[in-house]
Amino acid sequence: MNKKIPFLVLWVSTLLMGCSKTDTPTTQLQLQWKHSWGTAAVSSADLNQIQYPTAHGERLSVERLRYLVSQMVLVHQDGRELEVETPYFLMDLSESESLQISLGNDVPVGDYSELRFVFGFLDEDNLDGVYPDLNTANWNVPAMLGGGYHYLQLDGKFQQSDETPQQYNYHMIRAADRSDPDNLILQETAFEVVLGAFEVSEDGVLSIEMQLDQWFQNPYTWDLAQWNTMLMPNFDAQLKMKENGATVFRWYRP
Amino acid sequence: MKKKLVLWVTAAFTGLSCSTDAPETSEYRLEIPEVFEQYLIAPVIPADNPMTAEGIALGKRLFFDPILSGNQTMACAHCHMPENGFSERRRTSLGIAGVPGHRNAMPIFNLAWNFSDRFAWDGKEIGLEEQALEPVSNPLEMNADWEQVAQRLANHPQYPALFQAAFGSAPIDSILVVKAIAQFERTLISGNSKFDQYLRGEVSLSAPEQNGLEVFMDETRGDCFHCHGSPNNPLWTDNAFHNNGLDASFSDLGLGAVSGDPNDNGKFRTPSLRNLSYTAPYMHDGRFNTLMEVIDHYSEGLQYSPTIDPLMKSVAAGGVHLSPQDKSDLLAFLRTLDDAEFQSNPDHRPDRRP
């Protein structure tokens, strides 16, 4: 996972085609993942406190947050595309090193029009058991649900008022309908995230924010009393997670 | 790392030049089970403690030798017995003074695949080498003085030559002792259970074992895989720390006492589910004697506490209430993770002394 990321074929070939940009300064580009609930920052220091209000009216804690993104691409203002060579990244809120990833060692500074990535794995990449680092991280999806990997693991507890808290496991995977175990119906839930214009400066740091509250609203107001645990085999819940995921990411603006 | 090994071998040679019959050190390659090779990342072998046949042989001898304890009556193997998956039958271990500790001895296998490198139930030991320092001087375990132990080894008729063969002419000290022991421990690899054979396509599972696997993997029934691995993670542990709902309040804070963070209270490292038939009793305090008691715990005995893992669902009802059939099938599946070859491996027994 922490492989060195040399530079991209596409880019280099464009350079060789004779643009005069060969002396553009480059930087080692890092991407930081930040997490928020409304206006509050969420960090590993807050794990376990039942404090975040959902749109539906519960409060919840964030005890564990892991998620996977793949196929990151930077699009330069002039249209050239830089594919990040590391094929996927697994972020873990409790491991600060995982929240700062390297997008490349020689990324030209300048203006870019978009950054895009896939949240989770597209079906073509969501192959069962083939990524040893993800297996070792216990990130797999059972074969009975079509195999492959988790996209999101958000675990904690919630409360309506002051009753004993209940657990929730908001785990996102490729949706699987197992009404007939011998004929699984699978539906892709990984989705593309596109973030708009940004600048790569000499200091080489970008920051993206995951707005955790959005997983529970917009467009679908999530009712934790109804959907809390055992969501992996819940086909409809998986589709709603995908819908709500659309507004989860944005550029971080401190 | 290779380069380093070569340098180090040369050093060992130089050290040996006065001794005629001592063998040169030979690099040892861990025998990695096929299913680990296929599914997992490479094991952890610290660059400053490369494995050698001589180091392993020395480590094994030390592991089984009471010379490391204060009154020379207790070896590591006293509490870590090969026939018990290198754990022991006692609920909590009796130390050298006959006083029980408060934890169940942990089994020792596949520890080179503990990528967090945090050992013991509560993660207080960092690194296998570091870990081995502790029981020797712990008054509740072997109660020895490391300097005295080193002296004893240096005055022993055989050990000086064995250390020389493994580490060259460096003086015998605690660091070399734990390096050798850690090398031996890294060779304790369990990867040939019935389930491994099933993964390799050599045997098939019975119907109950197959259903038991599904219970294990099913989020609406056992949901064990989120912490204990899966056919794609054949360590059968995530090596992470969780509160699996044993108690409503804690007499042993576990990770919380180590990290000082109350959010970690009651969390212990997930044990591997390999070799359970040999490693009873279960849990950090050995509270359960049988696997059925463990299954009953997860099915209907869960206790709520603020740090209970969110994966311990339906806690208000004590658990998800598995059917009797699912329980016995789950048990049948767990037994497929027993590795009889590991349990009886002659390489893991003390050598006969001349």
Side-chain angles (χ1 to χ4, degrees), chain B residues 42-106:
Chain B
V44 186
I45 298 172
D48 65 356
N49 191 18
M51 315 244 324
T52 65
E54 293 75 12
I56 295 163
L58 171 60
K60 175 171 156 183
R61 175 140 178 200
L62 289 166
F63 189 89
F64 289 100
D65 195 336
I67 194 171
L68 296 183
S69 62
N71 63 8
Q72 307 199 51
T73 58
M74 181 178 273
C76 305
H78 186 90
C79 305
H80 298 285
M81 294 185 258
E83 59 273 31
N84 292 325
F86 287 88
S87 67
E88 68 164 332
R89 289 279 173 202
R90 292 191 58 87
R91 187 172 164 183
T92 61
S93 298
L94 269 194
I96 199 162
V99 181
H102 59 297
R103 298 227 177 115
N104 183 236
M106 301 178 84

Side-chain angles (χ1 to χ4, degrees), chain A residues 128 139-150 173 184 232, chain B residues 213-214 216-219 223 225-226 230-232:
Chain A
D128 193 47
W139 192 239
N140 308 81
V141 168
M144 63 201 290
L145 293 176
Y149 294 89
H150 282 71
I173 62 172
L184 274 188
M232 292 175 71
Chain B
L213 170 62
E214 302 231 326
F216 189 92
M217 299 299 291
D218 186 343
E219 213 193 13
D223 191 8
F225 74 97
H226 276 115
S230 70
N232 286 318

Side-chain angles (χ1 to χ4, degrees), chain A residues 64 135 138 157 167 171 232, chain B residues 39 219 233 306 308-310:
Chain A
R64 187 158 40 226
N135 299 340
N138 233 24
K157 304 190 184 84
Q167 357 288 85
H171 292 200
M232 292 175 71
Chain B
Y39 292 110
E219 213 193 13
N233 179 351
I308 189 174
D309 199 281

Side-chain angles (χ1 to χ4, degrees), chain A residues 27-83:
Chain A
T27 183
Q28 293 192 346
L29 187 59
Q30 303 285 315
L31 174 63
Q32 293 177 340
W33 298 91
K34 308 274 190 184
H35 307 88
S36 65
W37 191 285
T39 52
V42 175
S43 78
S44 55
D46 305 317
L47 301 179
N48 236 10
Q49 269 251 56
I50 300 178
Q51 54 181 331
Y52 302 114
T54 64
H56 188 265
E58 299 92 4
R59 281 171 305 124
L60 55 71
S61 64
V62 174
E63 290 185 38
R64 187 158 40 226
L65 171 63
R66 302 198 292 170
Y67 54 99
L68 182 113
V69 305
S70 61
Q71 301 202 9
M72 297 197 95
V73 178
L74 304 142
V75 183
H76 196 270
Q77 197 91 82
D78 64 15
R80 288 175 298 174
E81 302 208 337
L82 286 73
E83 280 173 43

